[in-house]
Amino acid sequence: PPRTPAARVPHVPGLGLPASFHDLQHGPAFLPLDERVTWLSDEHAIPSAYASAIVREHETHRIAHS
């Protein structure tokens, strides 16, 4: 089955998709997508490629449920 880019992000203790989505929903949502990637990467000390996949997945879910 096809996997989303976020599904390929290695497990980071305390940072699953639900926790990441929560942080993004309660974080700086007013920032442009690329700035949210930087924020998430800095906030959790994860590579920007992982943060980008998570932010993009969050956007997909947010749009689908709005």
Side-chain angles (χ1 to χ4, degrees):
R3 293 176 50 183
T4 65
R8 293 186 208 116
V9 174
H11 175 70
V12 177
L15 185 67
L17 283 182
S20 299
F21 286 4
H22 178 269
D23 288 351
L24 288 166
Q25 288 168 344
H26 294 91
F30 54 89
L31 295 176
L33 189 130
D34 59 330
E35 291 180 16
R36 282 183 278 151
V37 169
T38 301
W39 175 82
L40 187 65
S41 177
D42 291 346
E43 187 76 11
H44 294 286
I46 59 174
S48 61
Y50 296 167
S52 178
I54 292 168
V55 169
R56 290 180 191 285
E57 186 72 13
H58 177 261
E59 279 297 296
T60 300
H61 282 260
R62 187 185 65 74
I63 291 167
H65 296 125
S66 58

Short mmCIF file of all heavy atoms in Angstrom, two decimals:
data_model
loop_
_atom_site.label_atom_id
_atom_site.label_comp_id
_atom_site.label_asym_id
_atom_site.label_seq_id
_atom_site.Cartn_x
_atom_site.Cartn_y
_atom_site.Cartn_z
N PRO A 1 0.83 -1.20 0.00
CA PRO A 1 0.00 0.00 0.00
C PRO A 1 0.87 1.26 0.00
O PRO A 1 1.93 1.27 0.61
CB PRO A 1 -0.81 -0.11 1.28
CG PRO A 1 -0.10 -1.11 2.14
CD PRO A 1 0.69 -1.98 1.22
N PRO A 2 0.43 2.31 -0.65
CA PRO A 2 1.20 3.55 -0.67
C PRO A 2 1.30 4.15 0.71
O PRO A 2 0.37 4.09 1.50
CB PRO A 2 0.42 4.47 -1.60
CG PRO A 2 -0.87 3.82 -1.87
CD PRO A 2 -0.80 2.41 -1.40
N ARG A 3 2.46 4.69 1.01
CA ARG A 3 2.68 5.32 2.30
C ARG A 3 2.93 6.80 2.07
O ARG A 3 3.54 7.20 1.11
CB ARG A 3 3.89 4.70 2.99
CG ARG A 3 3.65 3.25 3.37
CD ARG A 3 4.87 2.60 3.96
NE ARG A 3 5.45 3.41 5.02
CZ ARG A 3 6.55 3.09 5.66
NH1 ARG A 3 7.20 2.01 5.34
NH2 ARG A 3 7.04 3.87 6.61
N THR A 4 2.45 7.59 3.00
CA THR A 4 2.68 9.03 2.91
C THR A 4 4.12 9.32 3.32
O THR A 4 4.75 8.52 4.01
CB THR A 4 1.74 9.78 3.86
OG1 THR A 4 2.07 9.44 5.21
CG2 THR A 4 0.29 9.47 3.57
N PRO A 5 4.68 10.46 2.90
CA PRO A 5 6.03 10.81 3.34
C PRO A 5 6.15 10.82 4.86
O PRO A 5 7.16 10.39 5.41
CB PRO A 5 6.25 12.21 2.75
CG PRO A 5 5.37 12.23 1.55
CD PRO A 5 4.15 11.42 1.95
N ALA A 6 5.13 11.28 5.55
CA ALA A 6 5.19 11.34 7.01
C ALA A 6 5.26 9.94 7.62
O ALA A 6 5.84 9.75 8.68
CB ALA A 6 4.00 12.10 7.57
N ALA A 7 4.67 8.95 6.95
CA ALA A 7 4.71 7.59 7.47
C ALA A 7 6.12 7.01 7.41
O ALA A 7 6.43 6.05 8.11
CB ALA A 7 3.74 6.70 6.69
N ARG A 8 6.96 7.60 6.59
CA ARG A 8 8.33 7.12 6.46
C ARG A 8 9.28 7.78 7.46
O ARG A 8 10.45 7.41 7.52
CB ARG A 8 8.84 7.37 5.04
CG ARG A 8 8.11 6.54 4.03
CD ARG A 8 8.72 6.68 2.65
NE ARG A 8 7.68 6.47 1.68
CZ ARG A 8 7.24 7.37 0.83
NH1 ARG A 8 7.76 8.55 0.78
NH2 ARG A 8 6.25 7.08 0.01
N VAL A 9 8.80 8.74 8.21
CA VAL A 9 9.64 9.42 9.20
C VAL A 9 9.96 8.43 10.30
O VAL A 9 9.05 7.82 10.87
CB VAL A 9 8.93 10.66 9.78
CG1 VAL A 9 9.74 11.28 10.90
CG2 VAL A 9 8.69 11.69 8.67
N PRO A 10 11.23 8.24 10.62
CA PRO A 10 11.58 7.31 11.69
C PRO A 10 10.93 7.72 13.01
O PRO A 10 10.67 8.90 13.24
CB PRO A 10 13.10 7.42 11.79
CG PRO A 10 13.54 8.03 10.52
CD PRO A 10 12.39 8.87 10.03
N HIS A 11 10.70 6.74 13.86
CA HIS A 11 10.10 7.02 15.16
C HIS A 11 11.04 7.88 15.98
O HIS A 11 12.21 7.56 16.14
CB HIS A 11 9.80 5.72 15.91
CG HIS A 11 9.29 5.96 17.28
ND1 HIS A 11 8.03 6.48 17.52
CD2 HIS A 11 9.87 5.79 18.48
CE1 HIS A 11 7.87 6.60 18.81
NE2 HIS A 11 8.96 6.18 19.42
N VAL A 12 10.52 8.97 16.49
CA VAL A 12 11.26 9.85 17.40
C VAL A 12 10.51 9.77 18.72
O VAL A 12 9.31 10.05 18.76
CB VAL A 12 11.29 11.31 16.88
CG1 VAL A 12 11.99 12.21 17.87
CG2 VAL A 12 11.96 11.37 15.53
N PRO A 13 11.17 9.33 19.80
CA PRO A 13 10.46 9.20 21.08
C PRO A 13 9.68 10.46 21.43
O PRO A 13 10.21 11.57 21.39
CB PRO A 13 11.58 8.93 22.09
CG PRO A 13 12.67 8.32 21.27
CD PRO A 13 12.57 8.99 19.92
N GLY A 14 8.41 10.29 21.75
CA GLY A 14 7.56 11.41 22.12
C GLY A 14 7.06 12.24 20.96
O GLY A 14 6.40 13.25 21.15
N LEU A 15 7.39 11.83 19.74
CA LEU A 15 6.99 12.63 18.58
C LEU A 15 6.38 11.73 17.51
O LEU A 15 7.02 11.37 16.55
CB LEU A 15 8.18 13.39 18.00
CG LEU A 15 7.85 14.33 16.86
CD1 LEU A 15 6.99 15.49 17.35
CD2 LEU A 15 9.11 14.87 16.21
N GLY A 16 5.14 11.36 17.70
CA GLY A 16 4.41 10.64 16.67
C GLY A 16 3.58 11.65 15.90
O GLY A 16 3.58 12.85 16.20
N LEU A 17 2.86 11.18 14.89
CA LEU A 17 2.02 12.10 14.12
C LEU A 17 0.98 12.79 14.99
O LEU A 17 0.79 14.00 14.87
CB LEU A 17 1.36 11.39 12.94
CG LEU A 17 2.26 11.13 11.75
CD1 LEU A 17 1.47 10.45 10.64
CD2 LEU A 17 2.90 12.40 11.23
N PRO A 18 0.29 12.08 15.90
CA PRO A 18 -0.69 12.79 16.73
C PRO A 18 -0.07 13.92 17.55
O PRO A 18 -0.61 15.01 17.62
CB PRO A 18 -1.27 11.69 17.63
CG PRO A 18 -1.08 10.44 16.85
CD PRO A 18 0.23 10.63 16.12
N ALA A 19 1.10 13.66 18.14
CA ALA A 19 1.77 14.70 18.93
C ALA A 19 2.22 15.85 18.04
O ALA A 19 2.10 17.03 18.40
CB ALA A 19 2.96 14.11 19.69
N SER A 20 2.73 15.52 16.87
CA SER A 20 3.17 16.56 15.93
C SER A 20 2.00 17.40 15.46
O SER A 20 2.09 18.63 15.39
CB SER A 20 3.86 15.93 14.72
OG SER A 20 4.99 15.21 15.10
N PHE A 21 0.88 16.74 15.13
CA PHE A 21 -0.30 17.46 14.69
C PHE A 21 -0.80 18.38 15.80
O PHE A 21 -1.20 19.51 15.55
CB PHE A 21 -1.40 16.51 14.25
CG PHE A 21 -1.16 15.83 12.92
CD1 PHE A 21 0.01 16.01 12.20
CD2 PHE A 21 -2.12 14.99 12.40
CE1 PHE A 21 0.21 15.40 10.98
CE2 PHE A 21 -1.94 14.37 11.17
CZ PHE A 21 -0.76 14.56 10.46
N HIS A 22 -0.77 17.89 17.03
CA HIS A 22 -1.19 18.72 18.17
C HIS A 22 -0.31 19.96 18.27
O HIS A 22 -0.80 21.07 18.44
CB HIS A 22 -1.12 17.90 19.46
CG HIS A 22 -1.49 18.70 20.67
ND1 HIS A 22 -0.57 19.39 21.41
CD2 HIS A 22 -2.70 18.93 21.23
CE1 HIS A 22 -1.19 20.01 22.40
NE2 HIS A 22 -2.49 19.74 22.32
N ASP A 23 1.00 19.76 18.17
CA ASP A 23 1.92 20.90 18.23
C ASP A 23 1.65 21.89 17.12
O ASP A 23 1.66 23.11 17.34
CB ASP A 23 3.38 20.43 18.14
CG ASP A 23 3.85 19.72 19.40
OD1 ASP A 23 3.12 19.74 20.42
OD2 ASP A 23 4.95 19.15 19.36
N LEU A 24 1.40 21.40 15.92
CA LEU A 24 1.13 22.29 14.79
C LEU A 24 -0.20 23.02 14.96
O LEU A 24 -0.32 24.20 14.61
CB LEU A 24 1.15 21.52 13.47
CG LEU A 24 2.54 21.07 13.03
CD1 LEU A 24 2.44 20.03 11.93
CD2 LEU A 24 3.37 22.26 12.57
N GLN A 25 -1.21 22.35 15.52
CA GLN A 25 -2.50 22.99 15.73
C GLN A 25 -2.43 24.06 16.80
O GLN A 25 -3.16 25.04 16.76
CB GLN A 25 -3.56 21.95 16.10
CG GLN A 25 -3.94 21.08 14.94
CD GLN A 25 -4.76 19.87 15.37
OE1 GLN A 25 -4.82 19.51 16.53
NE2 GLN A 25 -5.39 19.23 14.40
N HIS A 26 -1.53 23.87 17.77
CA HIS A 26 -1.43 24.82 18.87
C HIS A 26 -0.18 25.69 18.76
O HIS A 26 0.11 26.47 19.66
CB HIS A 26 -1.45 24.07 20.20
CG HIS A 26 -2.77 23.41 20.44
ND1 HIS A 26 -3.02 22.11 20.03
CD2 HIS A 26 -3.92 23.87 20.97
CE1 HIS A 26 -4.27 21.80 20.34
NE2 HIS A 26 -4.84 22.84 20.89
N GLY A 27 0.54 25.54 17.68
CA GLY A 27 1.75 26.32 17.47
C GLY A 27 1.48 27.50 16.54
O GLY A 27 0.35 27.96 16.43
N PRO A 28 2.51 27.94 15.88
CA PRO A 28 2.40 29.13 15.02
C PRO A 28 1.72 28.85 13.68
O PRO A 28 2.33 28.88 12.62
CB PRO A 28 3.85 29.55 14.83
CG PRO A 28 4.60 28.26 14.90
CD PRO A 28 3.87 27.42 15.91
N ALA A 29 0.43 28.56 13.72
CA ALA A 29 -0.31 28.20 12.50
C ALA A 29 -0.39 29.34 11.49
O ALA A 29 -0.65 29.11 10.33
CB ALA A 29 -1.71 27.73 12.86
N PHE A 30 -0.16 30.55 11.96
CA PHE A 30 -0.25 31.71 11.08
C PHE A 30 0.98 31.84 10.18
O PHE A 30 0.99 32.62 9.26
CB PHE A 30 -0.42 32.99 11.90
CG PHE A 30 0.65 33.16 12.94
CD1 PHE A 30 1.83 33.81 12.65
CD2 PHE A 30 0.47 32.65 14.22
CE1 PHE A 30 2.83 33.95 13.60
CE2 PHE A 30 1.45 32.80 15.18
CZ PHE A 30 2.63 33.44 14.87
N LEU A 31 2.00 31.06 10.45
CA LEU A 31 3.22 31.13 9.65
C LEU A 31 3.04 30.40 8.32
O LEU A 31 2.29 29.44 8.24
CB LEU A 31 4.39 30.48 10.40
CG LEU A 31 4.84 31.15 11.70
CD1 LEU A 31 5.92 30.30 12.36
CD2 LEU A 31 5.34 32.55 11.45
N PRO A 32 3.77 30.84 7.29
CA PRO A 32 3.76 30.10 6.03
C PRO A 32 4.29 28.67 6.25
O PRO A 32 5.01 28.41 7.22
CB PRO A 32 4.72 30.89 5.14
CG PRO A 32 4.77 32.25 5.74
CD PRO A 32 4.57 32.06 7.21
N LEU A 33 3.93 27.78 5.36
CA LEU A 33 4.29 26.38 5.49
C LEU A 33 5.78 26.18 5.76
O LEU A 33 6.15 25.44 6.67
CB LEU A 33 3.86 25.62 4.24
CG LEU A 33 3.99 24.12 4.34
CD1 LEU A 33 2.70 23.45 3.92
CD2 LEU A 33 5.11 23.63 3.47
N ASP A 34 6.64 26.83 5.00
CA ASP A 34 8.08 26.62 5.17
C ASP A 34 8.57 27.09 6.54
O ASP A 34 9.48 26.50 7.12
CB ASP A 34 8.88 27.27 4.04
CG ASP A 34 8.67 28.76 3.93
OD1 ASP A 34 7.57 29.24 4.27
OD2 ASP A 34 9.59 29.45 3.48
N GLU A 35 7.95 28.11 7.10
CA GLU A 35 8.33 28.58 8.43
C GLU A 35 7.84 27.63 9.52
O GLU A 35 8.49 27.46 10.55
CB GLU A 35 7.83 29.99 8.67
CG GLU A 35 8.55 31.01 7.81
CD GLU A 35 8.05 32.42 8.02
OE1 GLU A 35 7.37 32.70 9.03
OE2 GLU A 35 8.35 33.26 7.15
N ARG A 36 6.69 26.98 9.29
CA ARG A 36 6.21 25.97 10.23
C ARG A 36 7.14 24.76 10.22
O ARG A 36 7.38 24.14 11.25
CB ARG A 36 4.77 25.56 9.92
CG ARG A 36 3.80 26.61 10.42
CD ARG A 36 2.37 26.21 10.20
NE ARG A 36 2.06 26.54 8.80
CZ ARG A 36 1.20 25.93 8.05
NH1 ARG A 36 0.50 24.92 8.52
NH2 ARG A 36 0.99 26.31 6.81
N VAL A 37 7.69 24.43 9.05
CA VAL A 37 8.67 23.34 8.94
C VAL A 37 9.88 23.67 9.80
O VAL A 37 10.34 22.85 10.60
CB VAL A 37 9.08 23.08 7.48
CG1 VAL A 37 10.28 22.16 7.40
CG2 VAL A 37 7.91 22.52 6.68
N THR A 38 10.39 24.87 9.66
CA THR A 38 11.55 25.29 10.45
C THR A 38 11.22 25.27 11.93
O THR A 38 12.02 24.79 12.75
CB THR A 38 12.01 26.70 10.02
OG1 THR A 38 12.36 26.66 8.63
CG2 THR A 38 13.20 27.18 10.84
N TRP A 39 10.06 25.78 12.30
CA TRP A 39 9.65 25.79 13.71
C TRP A 39 9.59 24.38 14.28
O TRP A 39 10.14 24.11 15.35
CB TRP A 39 8.29 26.48 13.85
CG TRP A 39 7.76 26.42 15.25
CD1 TRP A 39 8.10 27.24 16.28
CD2 TRP A 39 6.82 25.48 15.76
NE1 TRP A 39 7.42 26.87 17.41
CE2 TRP A 39 6.63 25.78 17.12
CE3 TRP A 39 6.13 24.42 15.21
CZ2 TRP A 39 5.76 25.06 17.94
CZ3 TRP A 39 5.27 23.69 16.02
CH2 TRP A 39 5.09 24.02 17.36
N LEU A 40 8.93 23.45 13.56
CA LEU A 40 8.80 22.08 14.05
C LEU A 40 10.16 21.40 14.14
O LEU A 40 10.46 20.71 15.12
CB LEU A 40 7.86 21.27 13.14
CG LEU A 40 7.50 19.87 13.63
CD1 LEU A 40 6.69 19.94 14.93
CD2 LEU A 40 6.71 19.13 12.57
N SER A 41 10.99 21.62 13.15
CA SER A 41 12.34 21.06 13.15
C SER A 41 13.14 21.56 14.36
O SER A 41 13.78 20.77 15.07
CB SER A 41 13.05 21.43 11.85
OG SER A 41 14.38 20.97 11.86
N ASP A 42 13.08 22.85 14.62
CA ASP A 42 13.80 23.42 15.75
C ASP A 42 13.20 22.98 17.08
O ASP A 42 13.92 22.67 18.03
CB ASP A 42 13.78 24.95 15.69
CG ASP A 42 14.61 25.51 14.55
OD1 ASP A 42 15.41 24.75 13.96
OD2 ASP A 42 14.44 26.70 14.23
N GLU A 43 11.88 22.95 17.15
CA GLU A 43 11.16 22.61 18.38
C GLU A 43 11.49 21.20 18.86
O GLU A 43 11.61 20.96 20.05
CB GLU A 43 9.65 22.75 18.14
CG GLU A 43 8.81 22.59 19.36
CD GLU A 43 8.82 23.80 20.28
OE1 GLU A 43 9.34 24.88 19.90
OE2 GLU A 43 8.31 23.65 21.40
N HIS A 44 11.64 20.27 17.92
CA HIS A 44 11.85 18.86 18.27
C HIS A 44 13.22 18.33 17.86
O HIS A 44 13.46 17.12 17.99
CB HIS A 44 10.75 18.00 17.66
CG HIS A 44 9.41 18.29 18.24
ND1 HIS A 44 9.04 17.89 19.50
CD2 HIS A 44 8.35 18.97 17.76
CE1 HIS A 44 7.81 18.29 19.76
NE2 HIS A 44 7.37 18.95 18.71
N ALA A 45 14.07 19.20 17.39
CA ALA A 45 15.43 18.81 16.98
C ALA A 45 15.40 17.62 16.02
O ALA A 45 16.08 16.62 16.21
CB ALA A 45 16.29 18.51 18.21
N ILE A 46 14.57 17.76 14.97
CA ILE A 46 14.49 16.72 13.94
C ILE A 46 14.95 17.34 12.62
O ILE A 46 14.89 18.55 12.44
CB ILE A 46 13.07 16.14 13.81
CG1 ILE A 46 12.04 17.23 13.44
CG2 ILE A 46 12.67 15.40 15.08
CD1 ILE A 46 10.64 16.70 13.17
N PRO A 47 15.41 16.51 11.69
CA PRO A 47 15.82 17.03 10.39
C PRO A 47 14.66 17.75 9.68
O PRO A 47 13.49 17.37 9.83
CB PRO A 47 16.24 15.78 9.61
CG PRO A 47 16.58 14.78 10.66
CD PRO A 47 15.64 15.07 11.80
N SER A 48 15.00 18.76 8.93
CA SER A 48 13.96 19.53 8.25
C SER A 48 13.17 18.70 7.25
O SER A 48 11.99 18.94 7.02
CB SER A 48 14.55 20.77 7.57
OG SER A 48 15.50 20.39 6.60
N ALA A 49 13.80 17.68 6.66
CA ALA A 49 13.06 16.81 5.72
C ALA A 49 11.94 16.07 6.46
O ALA A 49 10.84 15.91 5.92
CB ALA A 49 13.99 15.82 5.06
N TYR A 50 12.19 15.62 7.68
CA TYR A 50 11.15 14.95 8.47
C TYR A 50 10.07 15.95 8.84
O TYR A 50 8.88 15.66 8.74
CB TYR A 50 11.74 14.34 9.74
CG TYR A 50 12.74 13.24 9.54
CD1 TYR A 50 13.53 12.80 10.58
CD2 TYR A 50 12.92 12.63 8.30
CE1 TYR A 50 14.46 11.79 10.42
CE2 TYR A 50 13.85 11.62 8.12
CZ TYR A 50 14.62 11.20 9.19
OH TYR A 50 15.53 10.20 9.02
N ALA A 51 10.49 17.12 9.29
CA ALA A 51 9.52 18.14 9.67
C ALA A 51 8.67 18.54 8.47
O ALA A 51 7.46 18.73 8.61
CB ALA A 51 10.24 19.36 10.24
N SER A 52 9.26 18.63 7.31
CA SER A 52 8.52 18.98 6.11
C SER A 52 7.45 17.94 5.80
O SER A 52 6.30 18.27 5.49
CB SER A 52 9.47 19.11 4.92
OG SER A 52 8.77 19.41 3.74
N ALA A 53 7.81 16.67 5.90
CA ALA A 53 6.84 15.60 5.65
C ALA A 53 5.69 15.67 6.64
O ALA A 53 4.52 15.52 6.26
CB ALA A 53 7.52 14.24 5.72
N ILE A 54 5.99 15.94 7.90
CA ILE A 54 4.96 16.02 8.94
C ILE A 54 4.05 17.22 8.69
O ILE A 54 2.83 17.11 8.76
CB ILE A 54 5.61 16.08 10.34
CG1 ILE A 54 6.28 14.73 10.64
CG2 ILE A 54 4.57 16.43 11.40
CD1 ILE A 54 7.18 14.76 11.86
N VAL A 55 4.63 18.37 8.40
CA VAL A 55 3.83 19.58 8.16
C VAL A 55 2.94 19.39 6.94
O VAL A 55 1.76 19.76 6.95
CB VAL A 55 4.73 20.83 8.02
CG1 VAL A 55 3.94 22.02 7.53
CG2 VAL A 55 5.40 21.15 9.36
N ARG A 56 3.47 18.82 5.89
CA ARG A 56 2.66 18.60 4.68
C ARG A 56 1.52 17.61 4.96
O ARG A 56 0.41 17.79 4.47
CB ARG A 56 3.54 18.14 3.53
CG ARG A 56 4.44 19.25 3.05
CD ARG A 56 5.34 18.83 1.90
NE ARG A 56 6.35 19.82 1.64
CZ ARG A 56 6.15 20.98 1.04
NH1 ARG A 56 4.95 21.30 0.63
NH2 ARG A 56 7.14 21.83 0.86
N GLU A 57 1.80 16.58 5.74
CA GLU A 57 0.75 15.62 6.09
C GLU A 57 -0.33 16.31 6.94
O GLU A 57 -1.52 16.10 6.75
CB GLU A 57 1.35 14.44 6.86
CG GLU A 57 0.37 13.34 7.15
CD GLU A 57 -0.02 12.54 5.92
OE1 GLU A 57 0.64 12.65 4.87
OE2 GLU A 57 -1.00 11.78 6.02
N HIS A 58 0.10 17.17 7.85
CA HIS A 58 -0.85 17.92 8.67
C HIS A 58 -1.73 18.79 7.79
O HIS A 58 -2.95 18.87 8.00
CB HIS A 58 -0.10 18.77 9.70
CG HIS A 58 -1.00 19.61 10.52
ND1 HIS A 58 -1.22 20.95 10.26
CD2 HIS A 58 -1.78 19.31 11.59
CE1 HIS A 58 -2.07 21.42 11.14
NE2 HIS A 58 -2.44 20.45 11.96
N GLU A 59 -1.14 19.46 6.82
CA GLU A 59 -1.92 20.31 5.90
C GLU A 59 -2.95 19.48 5.14
O GLU A 59 -4.09 19.90 4.96
CB GLU A 59 -1.00 21.03 4.92
CG GLU A 59 -0.36 22.27 5.49
CD GLU A 59 -1.40 23.31 5.87
OE1 GLU A 59 -2.11 23.82 4.99
OE2 GLU A 59 -1.49 23.59 7.07
N THR A 60 -2.55 18.29 4.68
CA THR A 60 -3.45 17.41 3.96
C THR A 60 -4.65 17.05 4.84
O THR A 60 -5.80 17.11 4.40
CB THR A 60 -2.71 16.13 3.51
OG1 THR A 60 -1.64 16.51 2.65
CG2 THR A 60 -3.64 15.18 2.78
N HIS A 61 -4.37 16.69 6.10
CA HIS A 61 -5.45 16.33 7.03
C HIS A 61 -6.32 17.55 7.34
O HIS A 61 -7.55 17.44 7.40
CB HIS A 61 -4.88 15.76 8.33
CG HIS A 61 -4.44 14.35 8.20
ND1 HIS A 61 -5.20 13.29 8.62
CD2 HIS A 61 -3.31 13.80 7.67
CE1 HIS A 61 -4.57 12.16 8.37
NE2 HIS A 61 -3.43 12.45 7.80
N ARG A 62 -5.70 18.68 7.55
CA ARG A 62 -6.44 19.91 7.89
C ARG A 62 -7.39 20.28 6.76
O ARG A 62 -8.57 20.58 7.01
CB ARG A 62 -5.48 21.06 8.17
CG ARG A 62 -6.14 22.31 8.69
CD ARG A 62 -5.14 23.45 8.84
NE ARG A 62 -4.60 23.89 7.56
CZ ARG A 62 -5.26 24.61 6.66
NH1 ARG A 62 -6.50 24.97 6.87
NH2 ARG A 62 -4.69 24.97 5.52
N ILE A 63 -6.91 20.24 5.55
CA ILE A 63 -7.74 20.60 4.39
C ILE A 63 -8.86 19.59 4.19
O ILE A 63 -10.01 19.97 3.91
CB ILE A 63 -6.87 20.75 3.13
CG1 ILE A 63 -5.98 21.99 3.26
CG2 ILE A 63 -7.72 20.82 1.88
CD1 ILE A 63 -4.87 22.07 2.24
N ALA A 64 -8.55 18.32 4.36
CA ALA A 64 -9.56 17.28 4.17
C ALA A 64 -10.67 17.34 5.20
O ALA A 64 -11.80 16.94 4.92
CB ALA A 64 -8.89 15.90 4.21
N HIS A 65 -10.37 17.87 6.38
CA HIS A 65 -11.36 17.91 7.46
C HIS A 65 -11.93 19.30 7.70
O HIS A 65 -12.56 19.53 8.72
CB HIS A 65 -10.75 17.35 8.74
CG HIS A 65 -10.38 15.91 8.61
ND1 HIS A 65 -9.13 15.44 8.87
CD2 HIS A 65 -11.12 14.84 8.19
CE1 HIS A 65 -9.10 14.14 8.65
NE2 HIS A 65 -10.29 13.75 8.23
N SER A 66 -11.72 20.20 6.76
CA SER A 66 -12.29 21.55 6.95
C SER A 66 -13.49 21.77 6.07
O SER A 66 -13.90 21.00 5.30
CB SER A 66 -11.25 22.62 6.69
OG SER A 66 -10.72 22.55 5.39
#
